[in-house]
Amino acid sequence: MKAIRVTALTGPDDVELAEVERPVPGPGQVLIKVAYAGVTFPELLQTRGLYQVKHDLPFTLGSEASGVVAEAGPDSRYSIGDRVAAITGSGTFAEYLVAGDEATVPVPDSVSLADAAGMPMNVLTADFALRVRANAQPGQSLLVHGAAGGLGSAAVQMGLAMGLEVIAVVSTDAKAEAVRELGATHVVFANGFKDATKEIFANGVDFVFDPVGGDRFTDSTRVLAPFGRLLVLGFTAGEIPSIKVNRLLLKNISVDGVAWGAAAFGHPTYITEQWETVREHVAAGRLNPRIHATYPLERTAAAIRELDERTVMGKVLLEVAGE
């Protein structure tokens, strides 16, 4: 079968389309004929050896995918023909993928396999951040940095589904239009977001969702209301910020780390339980990603470069077998 392989940690331009042996599912596993694979920021980092999870070279790239069960191993709860999505951390940029039942979720008939491929990591990360780490409640306010990106747009949609008032922070007019299409309550620009947010919420917001980091971090603490929480999800700006903790003390605010992978992969039933929690929103189409672009498998390098160039508005997919 064809697969995208990383043979050197020299960046996305050097990934290779190669022929590899088709995997065989073991007990409690399924072989998935991949329809689409989602492209995530960790893939960009993995091509450079910069992600916290390391794989021995060479390895097949890709963290999430959707498709149809082609073969079910002994004791698997899935059957041939089931429509599924999977989160495996590697191996999804391929024609076939083996995934454990614990990393596989059913896709409702109302959801396309293209949309399903763009959901797993972003939707479950957003759910973990807002429901589990923040304990967000209907009527509260949420500011989302990088709101037009894959993870940010999932946070916008999840916040709206949970009944939050959402401020989307973007950098361009085109991205502003994209998040308005998602239903964001308010849209502000990254340049001057602090003052713009204070005009909307004079006392500040309850939560800041930040996958960006960098130089906007300090102003994120300044837009929090008393008892507010800054949710740290990553550093796509490249710089890991620091903070003087007296700011936390004086305003009764907190900075919370959100490492969904560390929580999920330490608990075998976690992904299934989370998916069950968000299933109603998924089936109703409230969390369908905005598809920015779809590339064939052989153009994986170009797909990953889009993330590197910060031009993505929504989700980038690889089409493998299609619907």
Side-chain angles (χ1 to χ4, degrees):
M1 69 172 190
K2 292 183 174 62
I4 296 297
R5 303 282 280 175
V6 176
T7 60
L9 302 178
T10 49
D13 287 344
D14 294 328
V15 299
E16 299 178 4
L17 181 64
E19 287 286 340
V20 300
E21 187 175 350
R22 176 169 151 172
V24 177
Q29 295 181 327
V30 289
L31 177 70
I32 300 169
K33 183 178 181 180
V34 176
Y36 296 88
V39 182
T40 69
F41 197 72
E43 274 91 68
L44 172 62
L45 297 179
Q46 285 177 4
T47 65
R48 294 172 174 153
L50 299 177
Y51 194 55
Q52 58 262 37
V53 178
K54 310 293 184 184
H55 303 296
D56 294 334
L57 295 174
F59 64 91
T60 298
L61 198 59
S63 302
E64 62 183 2
S66 66
V68 176
V69 174
E71 184 179 344
D75 302 320
S76 172
R77 65 173 177 264
Y78 292 99
S79 301
I80 293 174
D82 285 349
R83 302 169 76 248
V84 296
I87 309 168
T88 57
S90 66
T92 66
F93 291 1
E95 292 180 311
Y96 289 89
L97 162 72
V98 162
D101 282 6
E102 73 281 356
T104 305
V105 296
V107 174
D109 290 340
S110 59
V111 176
S112 71
L113 289 177
D115 284 345
M119 284 185 192
M121 290 188 68
N122 289 338
V123 164
L124 296 186
T125 298
D127 171 68
F128 179 68
L130 300 179
R131 180 178 59 85
V132 179
R133 296 294 284 128
N135 190 29
Q137 301 298 315
Q140 291 185 300
S141 53
L142 167 70
L143 181 145
V144 179
H145 285 296
L151 181 54
S153 59
V156 170
Q157 290 182 306
M158 184 64 71
L160 293 170
M162 294 175 66
L164 306 182
E165 191 165 357
V166 179
I167 300 178
V169 181
V170 297
S171 58
T172 68
D173 288 333
K175 290 180 178 180
E177 183 59 31
V179 295
R180 289 190 183 101
E181 291 174 4
L182 295 176
T185 320
H186 309 279
V187 181
V188 301
F189 288 92
N191 185 16
F193 80 89
K194 176 177 71 70
D195 292 340
T197 299
K198 286 298 186 74
E199 290 181 7
I200 301 168
F201 292 99
N203 293 325
V205 296
D206 295 303
F207 308 106
V208 171
F209 182 101
D210 185 12
V212 178
D215 58 8
R216 67 182 67 182
F217 186 83
T218 298
D219 277 348
S220 290
T221 66
R222 291 170 173 154
V223 301
L224 283 174
F227 305 103
R229 303 170 74 170
L230 199 169
L231 307 168
V232 177
L233 291 99
F235 315 103
T236 60
E239 178 187 344
I240 299 177
S242 59
I243 185 172
K244 293 182 178 180
V245 296
N246 65 313
R247 292 187 183 276
L248 312 183
L249 173 67
L250 295 174
K251 290 186 65 177
N252 284 300
I253 59 177
S254 62
V255 176
D256 298 335
V258 180
W260 170 79
F265 289 106
H267 300 82
T269 62
Y270 200 80
I271 290 175
T272 300
E273 292 168 358
Q274 265 198 290
W275 193 254
E276 184 63 24
T277 299
V278 303
R279 185 178 63 174
E280 179 182 347
H281 296 317
V282 171
R286 300 185 191 106
L287 304 177
N288 285 353
R290 182 187 189 278
I291 305 302
H292 171 82
T294 302
Y295 288 83
L297 193 62
E298 58 267 24
R299 294 197 63 211
T300 295
I304 299 173
R305 278 199 301 272
E306 288 235 42
L307 274 67
D308 201 15
E309 294 164 358
R310 309 293 195 271
T311 58
V312 173
M313 293 181 286
K315 189 71 181 184
V316 175
L317 300 179
L318 298 177
E319 182 172 356
V320 186
E323 292 283 347

